[in-house]
Amino acid sequence: NFTIHGLWPDNKSRILHDCDPDERYITIRDPKKVDELDKRWPQMRYDSFYGKDRQPLWKYEFLKHGTCGTNRYKQPAYFDLAMKLKDKFDPLAILRNRGITPGLTYDLDDIERPIMTATIKVPSLKCIEKPPGNVELSEIGICF
């Protein structure tokens, strides 16, 4: 499945970051909210317990990008919005509904078109090559 990488506010000309150095991250303690967030935005560099307890990725992303939208979205709303967007515009579900199956080969347009149909924007697709000669889709960036 695809997971959330981040939710990054912008000003239509560039991605904003590090907007409010005085903003603090409040560790999420509600176990239900932590599990919901971890399902959609796992902290894959860490084991599950450490990631959920210390929340290093969520803290990093909120302080780097989330602080740029705190005039509209305080921390809880920032994470809620990220999860709502993931659920509403689930890239894997969008692709599966168009017959795109992981592990098979497709043209760029075959992947781009269904995402555009659902989001009304051209997605940013990133691929990796592994092993040499085998290109895999690794990231779908969507602007809202």
Side-chain angles (χ1 to χ4, degrees):
N1 199 350
F2 289 96
T3 65
I4 298 170
H5 178 145
L7 179 61
W8 307 324
D10 68 33
N11 66 0
K12 296 188 179 187
S13 65
R14 66 182 176 90
I15 293 174
L16 303 174
H17 58 84
D18 303 315
C19 295
D20 187 352
D22 295 328
E23 186 75 32
R24 299 290 173 241
Y25 178 80
I26 301 164
T27 301
I28 303 164
R29 292 291 171 213
D30 176 358
K32 183 179 177 202
K33 182 70 72 175
V34 168
D35 286 344
E36 288 175 0
L37 196 52
D38 189 59
K39 177 181 168 189
R40 296 166 181 89
W41 199 340
Q43 302 179 80
M44 295 192 269
R45 288 189 178 184
Y46 310 96
D47 71 60
S48 182
F49 177 79
Y50 182 88
K52 289 178 179 182
D53 184 57
R54 297 292 179 96
Q55 305 173 5
L57 176 62
W58 303 336
K59 178 180 180 179
Y60 173 81
E61 290 296 333
F62 175 74
L63 293 177
K64 182 168 184 177
H65 298 290
T67 59
C68 297
T70 52
N71 59 331
R72 254 185 108 171
Y73 299 104
K74 300 297 181 206
Q75 181 181 316
Y78 169 80
F79 289 112
D80 288 345
L81 178 60
M83 290 190 291
K84 283 179 187 173
L85 290 171
K86 166 68 169 94
D87 292 346
K88 184 173 181 176
F89 300 101
D90 182 354
L92 189 57
I94 291 168
L95 294 172
R96 280 191 173 141
N97 287 338
R98 289 293 186 98
I100 306 291
T101 305
L104 299 179
T105 302
Y106 299 93
D107 290 333
L108 176 67
D109 196 49
D110 294 334
I111 295 180
E112 206 172 65
R113 199 174 325 113
I115 302 294
M116 275 180 47
T117 300
T119 65
I120 318 300
K121 298 286 185 180
V122 177
S124 170
L125 303 179
K126 293 185 181 175
C127 299
I128 56 172
E129 187 175 356
K130 63 179 219 189
N134 185 21
V135 178
E136 295 180 1
L137 179 64
S138 63
E139 185 175 312
I140 300 174
I142 303 171
C143 292
F144 298 99

